């Protein structure tokens, strides 16, 4: 990927925090050489700044007033605001921004494991620092590409060499992502993955259309022994605790967030969907969000040198 197109505007920072940002943004020697000229050639609508807990975040600003925040820790989109200022994503009030615990909210990554398994819940991608490898602006729409590679921490949990590229595109009324997983090892590996998207919502009034007829794995009441079934409802609601996997889900769902917005959730190559709301197990905030997740529940087998790509496109009318 051409480094010449990566331009980042850095704010004035204290030396310790500037060094911390350097660790995220300047990992490749050609970029280090260009650091002094970033301000002059900064990509319009892309700015690196300090977020909560002094964690580096990238603010994307569209020419028509849309905005998104992306934390480099976990490669996590935490905010998506449309031009009227409304934030369509949700971050839990108990979210911790300490660079150790995953950020609870927005669009966290689950990789290379979805849910429980041999390693920690939902894998390690949401626990690691992603790097900026590219940014551009196309007709007023900012585009950011992040990268995650294997290292000592990931190797201790999952002993494979890989590259994950995550491209985020902000438009006036949409937020699109493309995730590419490449096997850079000499041996095959398998993985499962998801985008654990938290949407701002009135949970009691929220609903999802598009899932009728799909096979379900209902994790309520026993997540270790999900009940197989079939979705019979045209409109799926969140009347209480919800934790349900929909296999072979369609490439478009519609979320009515109960707050006056209909959000189209389109995807390519995310084979499954997950609906989740913790209800009284998270009494402080369950009323304020629902999760509608694009997922790949079954393992993807990837041979050396091969890649897997999936896209998500969130939009409102």
């Amino acid at each position: 990927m051409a480094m010449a197109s990566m331009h980042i505007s850095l704010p004035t920072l204290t030396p310790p925090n500037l060094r911390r940002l350097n660790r995220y943004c300047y990992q490749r020697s050609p970029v280090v050489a260009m650091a002094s000229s970033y301000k002059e050639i900064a990509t319009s609508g892309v700015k690196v700044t300090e977020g909560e807990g002094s964690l580096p975040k990238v603010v994307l600003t569209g020419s028509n007033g849309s905005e998104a925040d992306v934390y480099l820790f976990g490669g996590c989109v935490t905010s998506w605001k449309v031009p009227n200022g409304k934030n369509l994503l949700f971050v839990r009030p108990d979210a911790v921004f300490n660079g150790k615990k995953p950020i609870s909210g927005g669009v966290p990554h689950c990789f290379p494991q979805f849910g429980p398994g041999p390693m920690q819940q939902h894998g390690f991608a949401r626990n690691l620092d992603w790097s900026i490898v590219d940014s551009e602006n196309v007709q007023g729409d900012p585009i950011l590409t992040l990268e995650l590679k294997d290292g000592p921490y990931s190797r201790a949990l999952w002993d494979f060499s890989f590259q994950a590229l995550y491209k985020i595109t902000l438009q006036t009324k949409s937020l699109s992502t493309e995730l590419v997983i490449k096997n850079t090892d000499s041996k095959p590996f398998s993985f499962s993955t998801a985008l654990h998207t938290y949407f701002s919502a009135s949970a009691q009034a929220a609903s999802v259309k598009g899932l009728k007829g799909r096979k379900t794995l209902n994790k309520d009441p026993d997540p270790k022994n999900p009940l197989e079934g079939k979705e019979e409802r045209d409109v799926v609601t969140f009347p209480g605790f919800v934790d349900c996997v929909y296999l072979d889900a369609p490439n478009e769902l519609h979320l009515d967030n109960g707050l006056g917005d209909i959000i189209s959730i389109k995807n390519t190559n995310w084979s499954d969907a997950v609906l989740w709301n913790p209800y009284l197990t998270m009494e402080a905030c369950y009323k304020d969000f629902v999760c509608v997740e694009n997922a790949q529940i079954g393992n993807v087998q990837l041979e050396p040198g091969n890649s897997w790509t999936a896209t998500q496109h969130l939009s409102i009318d």
Side-chain angles (χ1 to χ4, degrees), residues 211-237:
L211 291 167
K212 186 176 181 179
R214 303 295 167 164
K215 183 179 178 181
T216 58
L217 298 176
N218 196 338
K219 296 183 180 182
D220 181 30
D222 185 359
K224 294 182 179 179
N225 295 288
L227 299 172
E228 293 188 16
K230 182 180 179 181
E231 183 56 71
E232 302 291 350
R233 295 168 292 178
D234 290 310
V235 179
V236 181
T237 56

